[in-house]
Amino acid sequence: MANKFIIRWITVCIVLVAASIKPIEADSDRFNACFESCNEKCKNDDHGNAYCEVKCDVDCGANE
């Protein structure tokens, strides 16, 4: 009997926590502006396209 109560209590707690978590929303305009300027500068420094995309995605994502 007590085990069922504890399991239900834990389930309710998990549901409440899951319902209260708000997803992070990125500011896409700010990210895009950062990414475009970073990507252009990176390519002007003679780096490859794949390197620049990953670098700028990480850098601008960290700034978010």
Side-chain angles (χ1 to χ4, degrees):
M1 183 79 169
N3 288 338
K4 288 182 182 180
F5 177 75
I6 292 171
I7 292 172
R8 287 182 183 164
W9 178 253
I10 291 172
T11 305
V12 168
C13 290
I14 291 171
V15 169
L16 289 175
V17 168
S20 67
I21 295 174
K22 183 178 178 184
I24 299 173
E25 296 178 13
D27 185 5
S28 62
D29 293 335
R30 189 171 66 164
F31 177 82
N32 288 340
C34 174
F35 184 84
E36 292 299 323
S37 66
C38 176
N39 199 25
E40 184 178 330
K41 181 180 181 302
C42 182
K43 287 181 182 178
N44 288 339
D45 292 340
D46 293 328
H47 295 291
N49 188 39
Y51 172 80
C52 291
E53 283 189 22
V54 172
K55 178 192 177 308
C56 294
D57 189 37
V58 170
D59 290 351
C60 293
N63 289 337
E64 283 288 317

